[in-house]
Amino acid sequence: MTRLTSTRLADGRELIYFDDAGSPERDPGSLTDHRKLPRRADPGELRYDALSGEWVAVAAHRQSRTHLPPADQCPICPTTSANPSEIPAPDYDVVVFENRFPSLGPAVGTIPGTPAWGTSGPAYGRCEVVSFTPSHTGSFAELGETRARTVIEAWAHRTEALSALPGIQQVFPFENRGADIGVTLHHPHGQIYAYPYVTPRAASLGAAAGRHFDNSKGRESLTSSILNAERQDGSRMVLEGEHFSAYVPFAARWPLEVHLVPHRQVPDLAALSGEERDELAHVYLELLKRMDALYPTPTPYISAWHQAPLDPVFRPSGHLHLQLTSPRRAADKLKYLAGSEAAMGAFINDTTPESVAERLRAVASDSQHAIPEGAPA
């Protein structure tokens, strides 16, 4: 079992060590943050955009956040005498802590229920950082399965804990990987946002899922229906396991896009069984390795875990899935969101989903032998 140890940083932020199964007890000395930090800033501001019906976070305090520091000044490497970092310990496996420069929070609460033009309020919520490894270099794809399993345990734990906070409506674990995506730290890490509202993308997906769920009289989620259709067609399947399958969607928006879906309808990572989490550690690593194998250099990506919002309107039809996307359309070319995509939300893909799926099947890693026989190679 993964071992959890919670502590507080010098400014009061929570930090949790998630140590790999079988690791020794953590030294109590590694729990104390000896830095002198300023008082935490008050929350930023949420403003309601009456034209779109969406909330916008105004977080001007983030202008001063750390940006691509040299390795010897990395804030999420283990602490040394020369670099007293955000992580007090001299070593760790996986760690989660409250972001020092959050877009949302640290206060939590309920936002106005009937907003109009001019409505604003505190940017309630929570933003956390998830460091996947003490190593400053590398990537998630280079983690072993034991460490990947620990990260999944951290995601599940934080999903459950953040979902219980007052006012939280949606919990979103994600990873931005690569300078082309806009990361501000080279160290392999991800983030978790807990929103006080249902985000526009989740609301759009949730509305479609709800219509399908209602039309099937609650017998089938939309995500399940799409997965079944993709498996029957087969041309866009990337891999299939006992509990999870991955495919390039029929109407992919991005040059590289893969959806990873649990066969069982569950709302979030916290609802996965132990066996499902075990397989997820293997399958997720396999997908990331294949993404990196497509080109001579690592592929930038956004790894977005779509979990069911907590809103009772969306929750019953929700079905956890990963959307792994990259703007990379060639070894030396990226897709930029210009007029049609950025202004109108009307995507134009530069690749065909079938050709992308074929390439991802062709670059199966050495670990592919663990996928059941009969699945796409």
Side-chain angles (χ1 to χ4, degrees), residues 17 26-27 29-30 78-80 87-92 134:
Y17 294 102
R26 181 156 291 281
D27 179 358
S30 69
T79 279
T80 66
I87 320 298
D91 196 16
Y92 64 88

Side-chain angles (χ1 to χ4, degrees), residues 251-316:
R253 298 181 172 202
W254 294 92
L256 293 175
E257 180 170 347
V258 182
H259 292 188
L260 176 61
V261 180
H263 298 169
R264 184 170 66 96
Q265 182 187 357
V266 293
D268 53 30
L269 290 156
L272 292 174
S273 69
E275 289 185 352
E276 288 168 330
R277 296 181 193 189
D278 290 342
E279 183 176 280
L280 177 57
H282 171 79
V283 173
Y284 184 47
L285 286 172
E286 174 67 23
L287 279 182
L288 296 182
K289 290 173 184 176
R290 294 192 193 196
M291 290 280 278
D292 274 349
L294 293 175
Y295 297 108
T297 56
T299 292
Y301 63 73
I302 295 175
S303 176
W305 288 100
H306 288 256
Q307 306 195 105
L310 298 167
D311 189 310
V313 172
F314 298 115
R315 191 75 174 176

